[in-house]
């Protein structure tokens, strides 16, 4: 088996990419994060600094500055050439991801490098086949907020090698100290295949006038011991991401329970995406 992962690349420094970069740097590994523009890179650096400063103030890490020294945020994908593992964490759009994987295949020089995707719904096979190394392409799906939630889904495609899966598991469990579960390469994987129909059902309940958003969420929190209600959770995930996952699930399985409700479609059209825009099912 190849040596363990030491040098990590992350593409995208939004909420998920920054979280992946943070936990990787906190584990002592060297991280290069690639963003699409200087403005996005500056926003990503600010996000990392804010999160790590907060972690230091709470005593979760000794020094935010020491962790930040292990992270470089760049705008040139070419700086990922020497990475042992690159995690893609860009927008949940199949064409954007396949374009990126084709570029990474040309850029990343190590013959053993793993190309991983943090996608929450797009089949890994579709990403692997646009590269010359589908045996080294795997889904490594983190959950938001990455520094807090311990779960990672490992999703090998039919062409992913056993060695790649083992190395990815070692990175997740040994290096990062997280817990991995295995999923077959089906849209939604384990968690979202169960979670998204539940969230969509809550949206349909609200849309029909059956109950208010507050009562739907209170019902699940107080009556089923959920940490937060499904509509608040949708706002946290992002309504655009919720819609994208629903569409991937519906495309794959053609089951009505996976179809995005009209209310969700209209809210996304209006830019009411949840916490990240200040308004979704609730106002923030």
């Amino acid at each position: 088996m190849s040596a363990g992962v030491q040098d990590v690349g992350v593409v995208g420094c939004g909420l998920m990419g920054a979280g992946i970069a943070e936990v990787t740097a906190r584990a002592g590994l060297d991280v290069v994060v690639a963003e699409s523009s200087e403005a996005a890179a500056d926003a990503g650096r600010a996000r990392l600094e804010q999160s790590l400063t907060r972690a230091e103030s709470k005593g979760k890490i000794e020094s935010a500055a020491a962790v930040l020294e292990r992270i470089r945020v760049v705008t040139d994908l070419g700086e990922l050439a020497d990475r042992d593992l690159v995690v893609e964490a860009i927008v949940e759009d199949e064409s954007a991801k396949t374009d990126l994987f084709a570029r990474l295949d040309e850029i990343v020089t190590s013959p053993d490098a793993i190309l991983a995707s943090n996608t929450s719904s797009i089949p890994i096979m579709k990403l692997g086949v646009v590269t010359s190394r589908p045996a080294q392409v795997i889904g490594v799906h983190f959950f938001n907020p990455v520094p807090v939630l311990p779960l990672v889904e490992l999703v090998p495609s039919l062409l992913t090698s056993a060695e790649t899966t083992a190395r990815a598991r070692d990175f997740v469990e040994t290096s990062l100290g997280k817990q991995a579960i295995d999923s077959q390469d089906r849209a939604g994987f384990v968690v979202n295949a169960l979670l998204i129909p539940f969230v969509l059902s809550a949206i349909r309940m609200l849309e029909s006038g059956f109950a208010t958003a507050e009562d739907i969420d209170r019902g699940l929190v107080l009556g089923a011991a959920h940490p937060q209600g499904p509509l608040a959770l949708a706002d946290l995930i992002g309504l655009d991401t919720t819609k994208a996952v629903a569409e991937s699930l519906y495309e794959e399985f053609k089951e009505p329970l996976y179809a995005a409700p009209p209310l969700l479609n209209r809210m996304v059209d209006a830019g009411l995406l949840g916490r990240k825009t200040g308004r979704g099912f609730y106002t923030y």
Side-chain angles (χ1 to χ4, degrees), residues 94-104 127 130:
E94 184 179 318
S95 62
K97 288 182 189 292
T98 52
D99 287 349
L100 175 61
F101 270 77
R103 293 177 67 193
L104 290 173
L127 307 179
V130 301

Side-chain angles (χ1 to χ4, degrees), residues 139-226:
V140 180
H141 180 221
F142 293 81
F143 289 80
N144 180 40
V146 180
V148 176
L149 294 186
L151 182 66
V152 176
E153 290 176 316
L154 292 180
V155 190
S157 80
L158 292 173
L159 298 178
T160 305
S161 71
E163 179 180 352
T164 294
T165 304
R167 290 179 66 209
R169 186 183 309 281
D170 182 66
F171 167 68
V172 166
E173 296 186 337
T174 305
S175 297
L176 303 187
K178 292 192 175 288
Q179 297 178 43
I181 62 173
D182 299 309
S183 172
Q184 292 190 22
D185 185 20
R186 302 288 186 272
F189 314 138
V190 173
V191 173
N192 278 316
L194 294 169
L195 177 64
I196 294 301
F198 166 64
V199 171
L200 299 181
S201 180
I203 296 172
R204 291 188 189 98
M205 181 175 280
L206 174 67
E207 186 175 47
S208 72
F210 190 94
T212 65
E214 291 79 5
D215 282 349
I216 291 167
D217 280 358
R218 287 181 67 211
L220 271 296
V221 170
L222 301 178
H226 288 210

Side-chain angles (χ1 to χ4, degrees), residues 29-45:
L29 304 181
D30 181 78
V31 187
V32 176
V33 188
E35 255 298 359
S36 57
S37 68
E38 285 295 347
D42 289 343
R45 290 186 194 98

